[in-house]
Amino acid sequence: MPKSQVRKKKVYTPPTDVRPTTTSSSRKPSPVWLPITAVALIVVGIGWLVLYYLSEQEYPVMAWGYWNLAVGFGAMVASLALLSRWR
C-alpha cells in the first residue's frame, strides 16, 4: 500500500491588532502583604466559626445570633477575593 503524503502546515501567527499589549512579564508581582492577609482572613474566619459553634452560640458576639456565620464566611470569601489578585 502506498504511503500518503504528509502535508506541511504553515506556522500560525496571529494578527498584530489582536495580540495583547501587556505580557505576563511586564506585570508587577503582588505585594508581600497580600498572601499574608489572605491566610490571616482564612484563619480568622475558621476560628470565628469554630468558636461560635463550640461556645453553643454565645461567643464571639451573642447579640448577633446567626450573623456570626456571615462574619466567619465573609472573612473566608474576602480572602478568596484577595487571592484572586495574587500573581
Side-chain angles (χ1 to χ4, degrees):
M1 173 135 268
K3 186 177 179 183
S4 63
Q5 292 181 343
V6 178
R7 288 182 269 164
K8 293 184 180 180
K9 295 182 181 180
K10 293 181 181 179
V11 176
Y12 174 75
T13 55
T16 57
D17 58 337
V18 179
R19 290 184 185 169
T21 57
T22 60
T23 60
S24 62
S25 62
S26 66
R27 289 195 270 173
K28 294 180 181 179
S30 58
V32 175
W33 61 265
L34 194 134
I36 296 170
T37 305
V39 170
L41 280 172
I42 290 172
V43 170
V44 166
I46 291 173
W48 191 282
L49 293 175
V50 167
L51 180 63
Y52 178 69
Y53 278 113
L54 291 181
S55 69
E56 296 178 357
Q57 304 171 355
E58 290 185 19
Y59 296 108
V61 182
M62 186 175 170
W64 289 358
Y66 287 112
W67 283 103
N68 284 303
L69 297 174
V71 171
F73 284 115
M76 291 187 282
V77 168
S79 70
L80 289 175
L82 280 176
L83 287 175
S84 69
R85 300 187 148 270
W86 188 24
R87 290 188 205 131

